[in-house]
Amino acid sequence: MHTYPMMKKIFNKCCALLIPLYLVSTPGYADLDKGVSAYARGNYAGAYTEWLSSANKGEVIAQYNLGTLYLSGKGVSKDMSKAREWFAKAAKQGHARAQYNLAEALRVGVGGPALPDEAFPWYLKAAQQGLGIAQCYVGTGYESGELVKADMTEAVSWYQKSVAQNDACGEYRLGRLYFSGNGVEKSEEKALALLSAAANKGWLEAESYMGYLYMTGKRVKQDFPQALSLLEKAALQGDAGAFANLSVMYTNGTGVEKNIVIAYVNILIAHKLAEDDIDRKGYAAGRDYLAGGMSAKMIAQADRLANDWHAGDQLPKAASLTTLGK
């Protein structure tokens, strides 16, 4: 069974909307301060009430915080359209994180129609204020040519700005370029340093790719425990490729105890999470390969475990299995 390379598409279909609140006070806005206190005590409904009062008076931080409450469903029912609405209000007042969140919502279509042509200017506004993740996405736009005319010089420049902010996205994107030599002088040493830094910060794509490298021994010394750790971290965040390569490890018994049922569960989840037909076709081939050596009862149990799994759940392990008949 072959491995699954982790070089991702430039822009993924999923979004990475920022969740953190600005738990700071602003002179003249007592309602904002009361909301901060309520949120810190876990009284999210109270925070919502206080911030709504400030937001309606035009307080930008309160507007941003309301957006995050609607995004997370804390204190209010989760409502992506209202989250987008409040992010837009804060973005228009120059709030960098709100500008980034609005750009993501527009690009992907969260809380309303996807309007990718309108996304890039908001990424750029946030990036110009020094927000590292936005600088990374501006670079991504220039690299991919999806949101703006392709320009690798601009892409590298924005990635470097993002890295200077210690941002994991920028580290991952620039690290990839050092591997390929696209827009920069090729350097595996710099690539690995940047990708490792991004993985250590929990950036999903970097975890998944470095896990793949450690599993295969490409560009690094083969290290199955390290591969397993990184792939599991990425899989917990819902990365299809990480599940696919965990399937490989369980199929071969490398770094884990060989278990065809768990291998099959992992490839089924990978297939479920796949973002495009090319990936789905590859994962389907792995699924069919494994099914050839399994009983109907084993397949049925694996199907159940895969169907029951959702992002954030514990990963499938041998302990999840009931005793199987022969």
Side-chain angles (χ1 to χ4, degrees):
M1 186 176 180
H2 66 276
T3 57
Y4 299 90
M6 291 293 100
M7 280 299 186
K8 297 281 188 175
K9 297 173 286 297
I10 300 301
F11 267 123
N12 293 326
K13 293 179 182 178
C14 64
C15 55
L17 291 172
L18 293 172
I19 299 297
L21 298 169
Y22 270 170
L23 295 181
V24 298
S25 61
T26 300
Y29 285 95
D31 296 331
L32 178 63
D33 292 344
K34 291 178 182 177
V36 169
S37 297
Y39 188 92
R41 297 193 305 271
N43 181 6
Y44 304 127
Y48 169 80
T49 299
E50 299 294 347
W51 285 335
L52 181 62
S53 177
S54 289
N56 285 332
K57 296 172 187 175
E59 213 310 299
V60 65
I61 295 176
Q63 291 173 342
Y64 173 77
N65 285 352
L66 282 180
T68 64
L69 289 182
Y70 276 114
L71 189 68
S72 63
K74 289 184 175 180
V76 292
S77 298
K78 185 179 290 189
D79 189 324
M80 295 304 185
S81 64
K82 288 184 179 179
R84 177 163 161 170
E85 177 183 336
W86 283 111
F87 287 141
K89 290 179 185 293
K92 290 172 183 176
Q93 291 202 69
H95 192 286
R97 292 191 177 201
Q99 290 169 341
Y100 168 76
N101 280 5
L102 178 60
E104 279 285 82
L106 290 167
R107 179 178 68 86
V108 183
V110 172
L115 302 169
D117 291 343
E118 297 181 18
F120 188 80
W122 289 111
Y123 284 128
L124 185 59
K125 287 177 184 292
Q128 288 169 337
Q129 294 194 66
L131 185 63
I133 183 67
Q135 291 170 335
C136 177
Y137 272 55
V138 169
T140 301
Y142 278 116
E143 182 183 354
S144 67
E146 291 183 34
L147 305 180
V148 67
K149 185 178 179 180
D151 186 327
M152 282 306 300
T153 300
E154 282 290 323
V156 170
S157 176
W158 282 107
Y159 289 152
Q160 290 171 334
K161 289 181 173 71
S162 179
V163 169
Q165 298 291 335
N166 203 33
D167 182 74
C169 176
E171 290 168 342
Y172 170 72
R173 299 294 186 194
L174 189 59
R176 289 169 48 259
L177 296 185
Y178 275 117
F179 266 147
S180 66
N182 187 12
V184 294
E185 185 176 352
K186 190 173 183 179
S187 170
E188 289 201 357
E189 181 179 359
K190 290 181 179 179
L192 288 171
L194 287 166
L195 290 167
S196 295
N200 288 337
K201 292 184 177 75
W203 191 254
L204 180 153
E205 293 169 306
E207 290 174 336
S208 190
Y209 187 54
M210 289 302 299
Y212 164 75
L213 294 184
Y214 280 116
M215 181 182 72
T216 59
K218 293 181 178 179
R219 295 177 164 141
V220 296
K221 184 178 179 180
Q222 196 168 48
D223 186 330
F224 292 128
Q226 182 75 330
L228 180 65
S229 174
L230 288 166
L231 290 174
E232 286 186 336
K233 288 176 182 178
L236 280 170
Q237 297 186 64
D239 184 72
F243 273 107
N245 280 324
L246 284 173
S247 177
V248 173
M249 295 186 74
Y250 279 104
T251 299
N252 297 329
T254 50
V256 293
E257 184 176 350
K258 185 174 180 177
N259 191 310
I260 298 301
V261 177
I262 295 301
Y264 191 78
V265 173
N266 277 288
I267 202 65
L268 288 179
I269 296 174
H271 186 268
K272 179 170 68 172
L273 295 173
E275 291 186 358
D276 59 41
D277 290 339
I278 295 176
D279 287 344
R280 273 188 289 273
K281 184 177 180 180
Y283 302 153
R287 175 199 64 200
D288 295 343
Y289 167 81
L290 290 171
M294 298 170 64
S295 69
K297 183 176 285 189
M298 295 166 73
I299 291 173
Q301 185 175 46
D303 285 340
R304 177 181 58 77
L305 289 174
N307 289 332
D308 288 346
W309 189 89
H310 299 91
D313 291 348
Q314 293 296 310
L315 298 178
K317 301 284 186 178
S320 307
L321 303 174
T322 58
T323 303
L324 294 168
K326 297 293 185 181

